[in-house]
PDB file of all heavy atoms in Angstrom:
ATOM      1  N   PHE D 875       3.124 -56.013 129.642  1.00 93.00           N
ATOM      2  CA  PHE D 875       1.694 -56.201 129.364  1.00 93.00           C
ATOM      3  C   PHE D 875       0.881 -56.205 130.654  1.00 93.00           C
ATOM      4  O   PHE D 875      -0.174 -55.577 130.731  1.00 93.00           O
ATOM      5  CB  PHE D 875       1.467 -57.482 128.559  1.00 93.00           C
ATOM      6  CG  PHE D 875       2.141 -57.445 127.218  1.00 93.00           C
ATOM      7  CD1 PHE D 875       3.275 -58.217 126.993  1.00 93.00           C
ATOM      8  CD2 PHE D 875       1.669 -56.626 126.202  1.00 93.00           C
ATOM      9  CE1 PHE D 875       3.924 -58.165 125.768  1.00 93.00           C
ATOM     10  CE2 PHE D 875       2.311 -56.577 124.969  1.00 93.00           C
ATOM     11  CZ  PHE D 875       3.439 -57.344 124.747  1.00 93.00           C
ATOM     12  N   GLN D 876       1.388 -56.894 131.665  1.00 93.00           N
ATOM     13  CA  GLN D 876       0.700 -56.887 132.957  1.00 93.00           C
ATOM     14  C   GLN D 876       0.765 -55.503 133.598  1.00 93.00           C
ATOM     15  O   GLN D 876      -0.200 -55.045 134.213  1.00 93.00           O
ATOM     16  CB  GLN D 876       1.311 -57.932 133.889  1.00 93.00           C
ATOM     17  CG  GLN D 876       1.020 -59.341 133.451  1.00 93.00           C
ATOM     18  CD  GLN D 876       1.687 -60.365 134.349  1.00 93.00           C
ATOM     19  OE1 GLN D 876       2.377 -60.035 135.328  1.00 93.00           O
ATOM     20  NE2 GLN D 876       1.499 -61.634 134.027  1.00 93.00           N
ATOM     21  N   ARG D 877       1.905 -54.835 133.452  1.00 93.00           N
ATOM     22  CA  ARG D 877       2.066 -53.487 133.997  1.00 93.00           C
ATOM     23  C   ARG D 877       1.084 -52.525 133.328  1.00 93.00           C
ATOM     24  O   ARG D 877       0.501 -51.663 133.980  1.00 93.00           O
ATOM     25  CB  ARG D 877       3.506 -53.021 133.821  1.00 93.00           C
ATOM     26  CG  ARG D 877       3.852 -51.823 134.655  1.00 93.00           C
ATOM     27  CD  ARG D 877       5.334 -51.511 134.651  1.00 93.00           C
ATOM     28  NE  ARG D 877       5.882 -51.385 133.320  1.00 93.00           N
ATOM     29  CZ  ARG D 877       6.847 -52.155 132.819  1.00 93.00           C
ATOM     30  NH1 ARG D 877       7.375 -53.121 133.529  1.00 93.00           N
ATOM     31  NH2 ARG D 877       7.300 -51.952 131.598  1.00 93.00           N
ATOM     32  N   ALA D 878       0.836 -52.683 132.036  1.00 94.00           N
ATOM     33  CA  ALA D 878      -0.127 -51.839 131.323  1.00 94.00           C
ATOM     34  C   ALA D 878      -1.529 -52.005 131.905  1.00 94.00           C
ATOM     35  O   ALA D 878      -2.279 -51.028 132.022  1.00 94.00           O
ATOM     36  CB  ALA D 878      -0.118 -52.160 129.838  1.00 94.00           C
ATOM     37  N   GLU D 879      -1.870 -53.238 132.304  1.00 95.00           N
ATOM     38  CA  GLU D 879      -3.167 -53.461 132.952  1.00 95.00           C
ATOM     39  C   GLU D 879      -3.264 -52.667 134.250  1.00 95.00           C
ATOM     40  O   GLU D 879      -4.307 -52.080 134.560  1.00 95.00           O
ATOM     41  CB  GLU D 879      -3.369 -54.947 133.244  1.00 95.00           C
ATOM     42  CG  GLU D 879      -3.584 -55.805 132.028  1.00 95.00           C
ATOM     43  CD  GLU D 879      -3.694 -57.284 132.389  1.00 95.00           C
ATOM     44  OE1 GLU D 879      -4.015 -57.622 133.551  1.00 95.00           O
ATOM     45  OE2 GLU D 879      -3.434 -58.114 131.497  1.00 95.00           O
ATOM     46  N   LEU D 880      -2.177 -52.655 135.018  1.00 94.00           N
ATOM     47  CA  LEU D 880      -2.152 -51.885 136.263  1.00 94.00           C
ATOM     48  C   LEU D 880      -2.372 -50.411 135.974  1.00 94.00           C
ATOM     49  O   LEU D 880      -3.183 -49.751 136.636  1.00 94.00           O
ATOM     50  CB  LEU D 880      -0.828 -52.084 136.998  1.00 94.00           C
ATOM     51  CG  LEU D 880      -0.596 -51.132 138.175  1.00 94.00           C
ATOM     52  CD1 LEU D 880      -1.540 -51.436 139.317  1.00 94.00           C
ATOM     53  CD2 LEU D 880       0.850 -51.187 138.626  1.00 94.00           C
ATOM     54  N   TRP D 881      -1.641 -49.854 134.998  1.00 94.00           N
ATOM     55  CA  TRP D 881      -1.786 -48.439 134.668  1.00 94.00           C
ATOM     56  C   TRP D 881      -3.224 -48.131 134.258  1.00 94.00           C
ATOM     57  O   TRP D 881      -3.781 -47.104 134.661  1.00 94.00           O
ATOM     58  CB  TRP D 881      -0.816 -48.030 133.561  1.00 94.00           C
ATOM     59  CG  TRP D 881       0.589 -47.881 134.051  1.00 94.00           C
ATOM     60  CD1 TRP D 881       1.651 -48.654 133.706  1.00 94.00           C
ATOM     61  CD2 TRP D 881       1.086 -46.922 134.995  1.00 94.00           C
ATOM     62  NE1 TRP D 881       2.785 -48.230 134.370  1.00 94.00           N
ATOM     63  CE2 TRP D 881       2.458 -47.171 135.170  1.00 94.00           C
ATOM     64  CE3 TRP D 881       0.501 -45.888 135.712  1.00 94.00           C
ATOM     65  CZ2 TRP D 881       3.258 -46.413 136.024  1.00 94.00           C
ATOM     66  CZ3 TRP D 881       1.301 -45.137 136.564  1.00 94.00           C
ATOM     67  CH2 TRP D 881       2.659 -45.403 136.711  1.00 94.00           C
ATOM     68  N   ASN D 882      -3.841 -49.009 133.471  1.00 95.00           N
ATOM     69  CA  ASN D 882      -5.237 -48.803 133.075  1.00 95.00           C
ATOM     70  C   ASN D 882      -6.153 -48.794 134.296  1.00 95.00           C
ATOM     71  O   ASN D 882      -7.045 -47.955 134.407  1.00 95.00           O
ATOM     72  CB  ASN D 882      -5.690 -49.880 132.079  1.00 95.00           C
ATOM     73  CG  ASN D 882      -5.041 -49.716 130.727  1.00 95.00           C
ATOM     74  OD1 ASN D 882      -4.596 -48.636 130.354  1.00 95.00           O
ATOM     75  ND2 ASN D 882      -4.951 -50.810 129.988  1.00 95.00           N
ATOM     76  N   ASP D 883      -5.931 -49.729 135.221  1.00 94.00           N
ATOM     77  CA  ASP D 883      -6.735 -49.777 136.445  1.00 94.00           C
ATOM     78  C   ASP D 883      -6.546 -48.518 137.289  1.00 94.00           C
ATOM     79  O   ASP D 883      -7.513 -47.964 137.824  1.00 94.00           O
ATOM     80  CB  ASP D 883      -6.384 -51.012 137.279  1.00 94.00           C
ATOM     81  CG  ASP D 883      -6.819 -52.312 136.623  1.00 94.00           C
ATOM     82  OD1 ASP D 883      -7.627 -52.279 135.662  1.00 94.00           O
ATOM     83  OD2 ASP D 883      -6.335 -53.379 137.071  1.00 94.00           O
ATOM     84  N   LEU D 884      -5.310 -48.041 137.403  1.00 95.00           N
ATOM     85  CA  LEU D 884      -5.052 -46.819 138.177  1.00 95.00           C
ATOM     86  C   LEU D 884      -5.692 -45.605 137.518  1.00 95.00           C
ATOM     87  O   LEU D 884      -6.234 -44.728 138.210  1.00 95.00           O
ATOM     88  CB  LEU D 884      -3.552 -46.609 138.368  1.00 95.00           C
ATOM     89  CG  LEU D 884      -2.843 -47.592 139.301  1.00 95.00           C
ATOM     90  CD1 LEU D 884      -1.332 -47.368 139.271  1.00 95.00           C
ATOM     91  CD2 LEU D 884      -3.389 -47.500 140.716  1.00 95.00           C
ATOM     92  N   GLU D 885      -5.648 -45.524 136.192  1.00 96.00           N
ATOM     93  CA  GLU D 885      -6.297 -44.417 135.485  1.00 96.00           C
ATOM     94  C   GLU D 885      -7.805 -44.441 135.701  1.00 96.00           C
ATOM     95  O   GLU D 885      -8.425 -43.397 135.925  1.00 96.00           O
ATOM     96  CB  GLU D 885      -5.970 -44.455 133.992  1.00 96.00           C
ATOM     97  CG  GLU D 885      -4.544 -44.048 133.692  1.00 96.00           C
ATOM     98  CD  GLU D 885      -4.173 -44.229 132.223  1.00 96.00           C
ATOM     99  OE1 GLU D 885      -5.035 -44.631 131.409  1.00 96.00           O
ATOM    100  OE2 GLU D 885      -3.002 -43.969 131.896  1.00 96.00           O
ATOM    101  N   GLU D 886      -8.394 -45.621 135.660  1.00 94.00           N
ATOM    102  CA  GLU D 886      -9.832 -45.745 135.906  1.00 94.00           C
ATOM    103  C   GLU D 886     -10.173 -45.332 137.333  1.00 94.00           C
ATOM    104  O   GLU D 886     -11.149 -44.623 137.576  1.00 94.00           O
ATOM    105  CB  GLU D 886     -10.277 -47.188 135.645  1.00 94.00           C
ATOM    106  CG  GLU D 886     -11.770 -47.380 135.747  1.00 94.00           C
ATOM    107  CD  GLU D 886     -12.180 -48.805 135.400  1.00 94.00           C
ATOM    108  OE1 GLU D 886     -11.674 -49.336 134.385  1.00 94.00           O
ATOM    109  OE2 GLU D 886     -13.005 -49.368 136.146  1.00 94.00           O
ATOM    110  N   THR D 887      -9.358 -45.753 138.276  1.00 94.00           N
ATOM    111  CA  THR D 887      -9.555 -45.361 139.674  1.00 94.00           C
ATOM    112  C   THR D 887      -9.458 -43.844 139.823  1.00 94.00           C
ATOM    113  O   THR D 887     -10.277 -43.227 140.516  1.00 94.00           O
ATOM    114  CB  THR D 887      -8.515 -46.056 140.578  1.00 94.00           C
ATOM    115  OG1 THR D 887      -8.688 -47.465 140.471  1.00 94.00           O
ATOM    116  CG2 THR D 887      -8.657 -45.631 142.023  1.00 94.00           C
ATOM    117  N   ALA D 888      -8.484 -43.239 139.171  1.00 95.00           N
ATOM    118  CA  ALA D 888      -8.289 -41.784 139.264  1.00 95.00           C
ATOM    119  C   ALA D 888      -9.515 -41.029 138.763  1.00 95.00           C
ATOM    120  O   ALA D 888      -9.899 -40.007 139.346  1.00 95.00           O
ATOM    121  CB  ALA D 888      -7.054 -41.365 138.477  1.00 95.00           C
ATOM    122  N   ARG D 889     -10.139 -41.527 137.706  1.00 96.00           N
ATOM    123  CA  ARG D 889     -11.322 -40.838 137.152  1.00 96.00           C
ATOM    124  C   ARG D 889     -12.487 -40.814 138.132  1.00 96.00           C
ATOM    125  O   ARG D 889     -13.293 -39.894 138.109  1.00 96.00           O
ATOM    126  CB  ARG D 889     -11.756 -41.500 135.842  1.00 96.00           C
ATOM    127  CG  ARG D 889     -10.874 -41.131 134.658  1.00 96.00           C
ATOM    128  CD  ARG D 889     -11.485 -41.575 133.341  1.00 96.00           C
ATOM    129  NE  ARG D 889     -11.415 -43.021 133.141  1.00 96.00           N
ATOM    130  CZ  ARG D 889     -10.373 -43.663 132.642  1.00 96.00           C
ATOM    131  NH1 ARG D 889      -9.297 -42.993 132.299  1.00 96.00           N
ATOM    132  NH2 ARG D 889     -10.403 -44.968 132.488  1.00 96.00           N
ATOM    133  N   SER D 890     -12.580 -41.829 138.984  1.00 94.00           N
ATOM    134  CA  SER D 890     -13.715 -41.899 139.903  1.00 94.00           C
ATOM    135  C   SER D 890     -13.358 -41.522 141.342  1.00 94.00           C
ATOM    136  O   SER D 890     -14.209 -41.582 142.220  1.00 94.00           O
ATOM    137  CB  SER D 890     -14.306 -43.311 139.873  1.00 94.00           C
ATOM    138  OG  SER D 890     -13.357 -44.249 140.328  1.00 94.00           O
ATOM    139  N   MET D 891     -12.117 -41.121 141.577  1.00 95.00           N
ATOM    140  CA  MET D 891     -11.655 -40.849 142.937  1.00 95.00           C
ATOM    141  C   MET D 891     -12.274 -39.562 143.480  1.00 95.00           C
ATOM    142  O   MET D 891     -12.212 -38.523 142.836  1.00 95.00           O
ATOM    143  CB  MET D 891     -10.122 -40.751 142.958  1.00 95.00           C
ATOM    144  CG  MET D 891      -9.530 -40.652 144.342  1.00 95.00           C
ATOM    145  SD  MET D 891      -9.942 -42.017 145.458  1.00 95.00           S
ATOM    146  CE  MET D 891      -9.267 -43.412 144.598  1.00 95.00           C
ATOM    147  N   GLU D 892     -12.853 -39.663 144.667  1.00 95.00           N
ATOM    148  CA  GLU D 892     -13.461 -38.494 145.316  1.00 95.00           C
ATOM    149  C   GLU D 892     -12.789 -38.145 146.637  1.00 95.00           C
ATOM    150  O   GLU D 892     -13.116 -37.140 147.242  1.00 95.00           O
ATOM    151  CB  GLU D 892     -14.953 -38.752 145.530  1.00 95.00           C
ATOM    152  CG  GLU D 892     -15.707 -38.918 144.221  1.00 95.00           C
ATOM    153  CD  GLU D 892     -17.182 -39.214 144.423  1.00 95.00           C
ATOM    154  OE1 GLU D 892     -17.624 -39.342 145.587  1.00 95.00           O
ATOM    155  OE2 GLU D 892     -17.888 -39.336 143.406  1.00 95.00           O
ATOM    156  N   LYS D 893     -11.871 -38.971 147.080  1.00 96.00           N
ATOM    157  CA  LYS D 893     -11.173 -38.748 148.344  1.00 96.00           C
ATOM    158  C   LYS D 893      -9.704 -38.493 148.057  1.00 96.00           C
ATOM    159  O   LYS D 893      -9.215 -38.804 146.975  1.00 96.00           O
ATOM    160  CB  LYS D 893     -11.301 -39.984 149.247  1.00 96.00           C
ATOM    161  CG  LYS D 893     -12.710 -40.272 149.686  1.00 96.00           C
ATOM    162  CD  LYS D 893     -12.756 -41.486 150.584  1.00 96.00           C
ATOM    163  CE  LYS D 893     -14.204 -41.733 150.999  1.00 96.00           C
ATOM    164  NZ  LYS D 893     -14.312 -42.862 151.905  1.00 96.00           N
ATOM    165  N   PRO D 894      -8.972 -37.954 149.027  1.00 95.00           N
ATOM    166  CA  PRO D 894      -7.516 -37.870 148.857  1.00 95.00           C
ATOM    167  C   PRO D 894      -6.961 -39.269 148.593  1.00 95.00           C
ATOM    168  O   PRO D 894      -7.442 -40.257 149.165  1.00 95.00           O
ATOM    169  CB  PRO D 894      -7.029 -37.328 150.197  1.00 95.00           C
ATOM    170  CG  PRO D 894      -8.214 -36.632 150.790  1.00 95.00           C
ATOM    171  CD  PRO D 894      -9.411 -37.397 150.305  1.00 95.00           C
ATOM    172  N   TRP D 895      -5.937 -39.328 147.730  1.00 97.00           N
ATOM    173  CA  TRP D 895      -5.443 -40.625 147.265  1.00 97.00           C
ATOM    174  C   TRP D 895      -3.923 -40.596 147.198  1.00 97.00           C
ATOM    175  O   TRP D 895      -3.337 -39.706 146.597  1.00 97.00           O
ATOM    176  CB  TRP D 895      -6.040 -40.897 145.892  1.00 97.00           C
ATOM    177  CG  TRP D 895      -5.705 -42.193 145.235  1.00 97.00           C
ATOM    178  CD1 TRP D 895      -5.477 -43.403 145.830  1.00 97.00           C
ATOM    179  CD2 TRP D 895      -5.591 -42.426 143.831  1.00 97.00           C
ATOM    180  NE1 TRP D 895      -5.238 -44.369 144.890  1.00 97.00           N
ATOM    181  CE2 TRP D 895      -5.311 -43.793 143.635  1.00 97.00           C
ATOM    182  CE3 TRP D 895      -5.719 -41.615 142.709  1.00 97.00           C
ATOM    183  CZ2 TRP D 895      -5.140 -44.357 142.390  1.00 97.00           C
ATOM    184  CZ3 TRP D 895      -5.547 -42.182 141.469  1.00 97.00           C
ATOM    185  CH2 TRP D 895      -5.265 -43.542 141.310  1.00 97.00           C
ATOM    186  N   LEU D 896      -3.302 -41.595 147.799  1.00 96.00           N
ATOM    187  CA  LEU D 896      -1.854 -41.768 147.723  1.00 96.00           C
ATOM    188  C   LEU D 896      -1.557 -43.062 146.988  1.00 96.00           C
ATOM    189  O   LEU D 896      -2.081 -44.118 147.358  1.00 96.00           O
ATOM    190  CB  LEU D 896      -1.233 -41.819 149.126  1.00 96.00           C
ATOM    191  CG  LEU D 896       0.253 -42.172 149.206  1.00 96.00           C
ATOM    192  CD1 LEU D 896       1.109 -41.095 148.533  1.00 96.00           C
ATOM    193  CD2 LEU D 896       0.672 -42.381 150.648  1.00 96.00           C
ATOM    194  N   VAL D 897      -0.749 -42.964 145.940  1.00 97.00           N
ATOM    195  CA  VAL D 897      -0.286 -44.136 145.206  1.00 97.00           C
ATOM    196  C   VAL D 897       1.210 -44.234 145.487  1.00 97.00           C
ATOM    197  O   VAL D 897       1.959 -43.312 145.177  1.00 97.00           O
ATOM    198  CB  VAL D 897      -0.549 -44.003 143.689  1.00 97.00           C
ATOM    199  CG1 VAL D 897      -0.084 -45.253 142.957  1.00 97.00           C
ATOM    200  CG2 VAL D 897      -2.023 -43.729 143.418  1.00 97.00           C
ATOM    201  N   ALA D 898       1.631 -45.343 146.105  1.00 96.00           N
ATOM    202  CA  ALA D 898       3.033 -45.479 146.503  1.00 96.00           C
ATOM    203  C   ALA D 898       3.500 -46.894 146.234  1.00 96.00           C
ATOM    204  O   ALA D 898       2.724 -47.840 146.341  1.00 96.00           O
ATOM    205  CB  ALA D 898       3.180 -45.166 147.997  1.00 96.00           C
TER     206      ALA D 898
END
């Protein structure tokens, strides 16, 4: 459930990302 919150936050970030982005 907590991991799902992270995925939602990352998806939201991806939609607004305008710079190169590394997720590691």
